[in-house]
Amino acid sequence: MKRIKTSVFVCLLAYLGFLMGCYVGPVPTFDRGAVEGMQPVYEEDLIIEKTGSRDLINPGKILSYGPILLVTERQQGIHVYDNSDPANPVNLFFLEVLDNNDVTIRNGLIYLDNGPDLVSLKVTIDTLVEVSRVRSLMNFDQLDLSEFPSENDVYYECPDPERGPVVFWRTTTLMDPKCYKRR
């Protein structure tokens, strides 16, 4: 009889410990206005656009390619300069490349990451041509990203299944978020 009481007591303690371990606090109130959170990036958002030149803010890697000089802007894209006169490089244009971290050149092609995609480009002083794109090649995070970000205790923009698969999440300022993920 004593053994049964002890077993019941141990089971109750284990159950209470389990319940207490699951409690991570209340979900915060959904503040109105701007808050930092996570925004889904969909496969359709992974495009490379040629825009006007802009100033360097957070430069990264620098590459020389014939008369072209490439300077990466971390997480944003690549500045393209005419380096025909190295003493006076001319800022030609900017390639907006979402979530770009690295770039290299081989056999006349520029290889870069665009989120989880590997892209090859042919860039000249006047043109930009996307030669190939391998989707999700660098998606090392094997989590299903379609429902919520992998981060915990974070506001996030609720994904829209109509827009297709979510390929990654980025930190940004959200207006009036409707979703929150806790542990």
Side-chain angles (χ1 to χ4, degrees):
M1 183 67 150
K2 185 176 180 182
R3 186 175 283 190
I4 292 174
K5 286 182 183 180
T6 303
S7 296
V8 168
F9 181 71
V10 168
C11 287
L12 282 173
L13 278 178
Y15 181 69
L16 285 173
F18 171 76
L19 288 177
M20 290 175 68
C22 291
Y23 180 73
V24 291
V27 173
T29 58
F30 282 83
D31 299 328
R32 304 303 297 166
V35 291
E36 185 175 289
M38 304 300 291
Q39 179 183 45
V41 176
Y42 302 92
E43 191 172 85
E44 68 184 25
D45 297 330
L46 297 178
I47 57 173
I48 297 173
E49 290 188 87
K50 180 179 169 184
T51 64
S53 63
R54 57 173 85 163
D55 292 335
L56 289 166
I57 297 170
N58 191 12
K61 197 176 218 180
I62 300 171
L63 296 167
S64 175
Y65 171 62
I68 296 174
L69 185 68
L70 304 173
V71 181
T72 63
E73 187 76 39
R74 294 181 183 144
Q75 302 291 311
Q76 303 296 314
I78 302 169
H79 299 270
V80 179
Y81 291 84
D82 178 353
N83 200 35
S84 299
D85 176 9
N88 188 25
V90 177
N91 193 345
L92 296 174
F93 56 88
F94 184 74
L95 296 177
E96 287 187 8
V97 186
L98 192 61
D99 199 38
N100 174 247
N101 294 299
D102 205 1
V103 62
T104 192
I105 300 172
R106 180 155 172 93
N107 297 330
L109 293 176
I110 298 169
Y111 295 90
L112 53 97
D113 60 329
N114 183 201
D117 295 356
L118 175 64
V119 180
S120 64
L121 302 173
K122 183 74 171 171
V123 176
T124 67
I125 290 178
D126 301 318
T127 62
L128 161 70
V129 177
E130 186 173 306
V131 176
S132 69
R133 177 180 292 268
V134 180
R135 293 265 183 215
S136 298
L137 180 68
M138 293 172 282
N139 194 0
F140 303 117
D141 189 359
Q142 298 299 317
L143 300 173
D144 178 13
L145 301 173
S146 59
E147 291 186 47
F148 44 79
S150 58
E151 290 81 359
N152 291 321
D153 302 317
V154 66
Y155 289 103
Y156 66 97
E157 182 181 302
C158 306
D160 179 0
E162 300 288 319
R163 294 202 49 207
V166 174
V167 291
F168 68 95
W169 294 80
R170 65 178 168 184
T171 303
T172 189
T173 301
L174 302 174
M175 292 302 295
D176 303 324
K178 305 280 186 277
C179 293
Y180 183 82
K181 181 185 174 207
R182 63 182 188 180
R183 291 174 223 221

